[in-house]
Amino acid sequence: MELNGRQTRIIAIVRQSAPITGEQIAEKLNLTRATLRPDLAILTMAGFLEARPRVGYFYTGQTLSSLFSEQIQKMKVRDYLSFPAVVKDSSSAYDAVCDMFREDVGSLFVVNGKGLLSGVLSRKDLLRTAIGSQDMNQVPVSVIMSRMPNITYCRNDDSVIAVAELIIDKQVDAVPVVRDKDDGLEVIGRMTKTNITSAFVKLAKGTVR
Ligand code: ADP
């Protein structure tokens, strides 16, 4: 069974405030009792809620965690990714710093002459170069980036939670979203700690599609 965002919110409200009447739930959601009636009927029939006459709704407590993990697994990268900030591997470290400010990102994805993923450049990679003796205008990005095949990436149909695990395991801030090309990987987006955080805020608000 799949619950919609409103039904998930109703469960959360009942869980927090049981026993609670249909009228009170409607008030919290700024909806009319009549609008909520079908949702309450579904949730009661499915066993998520128990309705006691003249008392109100109770949460049965059986299935929310399985429901929750089902909801989380359904959240896919394609619905939460951002536009990628990309730099050519021949660009200078100085230009990369400018791009990072202009694009307001913490990591740049580096592409080769064919536009395919060749590396990742983070803030610290640039800071390390800045405190070294090299001239930032002379050092190409390709020399200071982390490079393929050691790049952690994901795809559109990966789950958001799988990417969150990758970010934790690999201790990175951002992961490029890629799609296969004949001779490499095309960068089509980015997933960062911010994307993951906003996905979980949506989940908590019950606005996950
Ligand atoms: P910061 O440098 O701001 O701490 P990160 O933690 O993302 O940012 O980067 C740490 C190191 O990991 C850097 O050297 C960077 O090049 C590398 N890195 C960042 N993202 C990835 C990735 N997706 N795959 C492989 N290496 C990465």
Side-chain angles (χ1 to χ4, degrees):
M1 157 172 201
E2 282 196 13
L3 297 185
N4 64 31
R6 186 155 77 202
Q7 291 162 349
T8 309
R9 286 197 71 192
I10 293 172
I11 291 179
I13 289 169
V14 175
R15 212 180 163 202
Q16 209 171 30
S17 315
I20 180 167
T21 65
E23 206 80 273
Q24 290 166 324
I25 300 171
E27 214 167 278
K28 281 183 189 278
L29 290 171
N30 271 330
L31 295 168
T32 65
R33 174 81 177 82
T35 313
L36 274 196
R37 198 161 287 131
D39 287 326
L40 288 169
I42 288 168
L43 292 173
T44 310
M45 277 189 304
F48 292 107
L49 302 183
E50 189 192 329
R52 291 195 202 143
R54 283 178 299 280
V55 183
Y57 289 92
F58 287 83
Y59 166 57
T60 58
Q62 290 160 357
T63 37
L64 191 60
S65 76
S66 60
L67 161 75
F68 214 64
S69 72
E70 197 183 294
Q71 284 270 102
I72 289 176
Q73 289 299 338
K74 274 194 318 206
M75 295 163 71
K76 300 294 179 195
V77 164
R78 67 165 51 81
D79 295 321
Y80 297 93
L81 51 69
S82 300
F83 201 73
V86 171
V87 67
K88 282 193 192 145
D89 56 9
S90 54
S91 303
S92 69
Y94 182 90
D95 286 342
V97 172
C98 298
D99 285 348
M100 218 174 243
F101 276 102
R102 199 173 43 239
E103 307 270 350
D104 194 18
V105 291
S107 320
L108 295 167
F109 301 135
V110 187
V111 295
N112 61 21
K114 291 179 179 168
L116 301 170
L117 178 66
S118 68
V120 174
L121 193 69
S122 78
R123 278 175 287 223
K124 245 175 265 156
D125 297 329
L126 287 166
L127 286 174
R128 199 180 302 115
T129 312
I131 59 173
S133 54
Q134 295 147 299
D135 178 354
M136 297 284 282
N137 278 299
Q138 300 302 322
V139 188
V141 158
S142 55
V143 173
I144 57 172
M145 67 184 188
S146 298
R147 69 199 67 248
M148 288 288 272
N150 301 320
I151 298 301
T152 302
Y153 55 80
C154 66
R155 297 171 198 276
N156 254 335
D157 50 1
D158 286 334
S159 71
V160 170
I161 197 73
V163 178
E165 285 182 324
L166 272 183
I167 283 180
I168 292 168
D169 285 352
K170 305 289 180 183
Q171 301 187 338
V172 294
D173 292 346
V175 171
V177 184
V178 301
R179 90 171 140 225
D180 289 309
K181 283 273 153 183
D182 284 345
D183 40 4
L185 300 169
E186 181 190 5
V187 181
I188 56 170
R190 76 188 145 102
M191 282 295 283
T192 66
K193 290 176 177 175
T194 307
N195 296 86
I196 310 263
T197 308
S198 68
F200 278 89
V201 169
K202 280 187 184 162
L203 182 70
K205 287 188 171 164
T207 50
V208 167
R209 274 172 274 164

